[in-house]
Amino acid sequence: MIDQDSLQDYTPPQPKVESVHGDRLAVYCGDEMPTIGTALGIDVGGKRLWAVVDRHAGARRVEAWLPLRPDEVEPGLAVTISEQPAAFQIDQTCPLTPSPQLIRPAEGDDHLLWPEAPDWTELGGALNPLPIGIEPLDVLAPICAGGVNLIIDHSDDGRPFAALARRVDRAFTPHRRLLVAAETSPLASTAESNWQVRAGETTRSQLASLQIAIGLASALRECDQALALIELPGLTPFAELSPSATAPAAPTGMPEIIDRLSRHLVSTKTSSLTTLLHLHIPGVFAGLADIIETLRLGDVDATIYLDEQGRFEPGRSTSRAAVDGQLQKQRRQYLQILQLADRAREKSAIFGDHDLTDEEIKALQTVPSLHPSLAK
């Protein structure tokens, strides 16, 4: 039998942090369930930090994200549910560095931290090639204007990508730019940018910088031509992002990260946003460099490989850019040369060079010119 006095004295549980996993929080909300993207206030050490709701977990609970969560944010802390979406500000005159103080309830012209991706009916149409003055690349795997371009860079210092980014910037002179890179990156001085986000040196700060980039995507699309230059997280284990019973929504690897960026950093019918994603795989990851093209790396419009010397690798690079006319004819010629050279190398390995035809010898001599260096 239920004790009536106990019912009268009953106090329902209040919103609180139930568990933490890296920068992710499992939060009990009670009957007041916030929408995705809402700011959650957490009072700790005499100050209030704000997290953002990114998933409904069921049973009156949500999962939230707090960039670079301080150790003092722990289970048991009370949570205040705001009525505003989580947002942030960025000053065009100085770079933004991700921090736990990044988020606040939206006000004024703030940028939403957890926006919705454009609907497919809003997306732009055909992808056009963006010539950058490197003929083999422009013909065989052109940069997609208004598309998401993944640059896989096997050089030791990342300078080839910075050189490629400068060429892309000069090719169409964007009206608005976003640069996401570490302060020590060669990319940091590539071009004057409207917004610059310092990605930091840790996986957690790098992932936070990518979320900022997503939050700025809609502002980039407010002008006709925009450019986003983004360094992806370094190749370190994503241990703190591993799925668990309470935090399964965090990205667990590069494909998920690239897919998420590709849904937001896109062009629409009224604007063109060209995105370059830099995946740096230096020589110390030689084994991975050999198999990376066999892995699924997200839905992108072009994938361009640069070798250890910063040279374009045509046989591994692809592009969805629409190529026709003279460029299509030239592409067929280049592909025939590459195929003939491959057969000639196999033939030479078995029978020696003396059995090579003049055409095969010419193809072998031409191939180096199809691997131009970007390390300048």
Side-chain angles (χ1 to χ4, degrees), residues 147-226:
V148 178
N149 303 270
L150 174 63
I151 316 300
I152 300 176
D153 178 8
H154 296 311
S155 69
D156 286 336
D157 57 12
R159 294 186 182 279
F161 175 75
L164 175 63
R166 285 192 293 271
R167 284 181 173 269
V168 170
D169 186 89
R170 292 195 298 265
F172 73 107
T173 313
H175 302 145
R176 189 168 288 178
R177 300 177 182 86
L178 167 65
L179 177 62
V180 179
E183 188 175 3
T184 57
S185 167
L187 188 61
S189 59
T190 293
E192 180 181 351
S193 53
N194 296 91
W195 298 304
Q196 185 171 349
V197 181
R198 289 178 176 165
E201 305 297 335
T202 69
T203 300
R204 293 168 69 186
S205 64
Q206 290 161 357
L207 288 174
S209 72
L210 299 185
Q211 189 59 47
I212 297 171
I214 288 173
L216 290 168
S218 62
L220 289 171
R221 291 192 296 269
E222 290 176 355
C223 62
D224 293 338
Q225 301 277 352

Side-chain angles (χ1 to χ4, degrees), residues 18 48 107 184 212 252 326:
E18 290 193 326
R48 174 166 288 184
E107 56 182 66
T184 57
I212 297 171
T252 55
Q326 181 60 32

Side-chain angles (χ1 to χ4, degrees), residues 218-241:
S218 62
L220 289 171
R221 291 192 296 269
E222 290 176 355
C223 62
D224 293 338
Q225 301 277 352
L227 174 64
L229 304 174
I230 297 178
E231 287 191 338
L232 295 171
L235 290 178
T236 53
F238 289 87
E240 69 269 32
L241 301 177

Side-chain angles (χ1 to χ4, degrees), residues 279-317:
L279 178 56
H280 191 206
I281 308 177
V284 294
F285 294 98
L288 179 58
D290 291 338
I291 67 169
I292 192 70
E293 63 190 305
T294 67
L295 305 176
R296 179 185 172 277
L297 287 175
D299 185 19
V300 296
D301 300 307
T303 303
I304 296 171
Y305 284 82
L306 306 178
D307 69 11
E308 291 83 352
Q309 285 74 45
R311 296 172 301 197
F312 169 59
E313 294 193 60
R316 307 175 72 187
S317 303

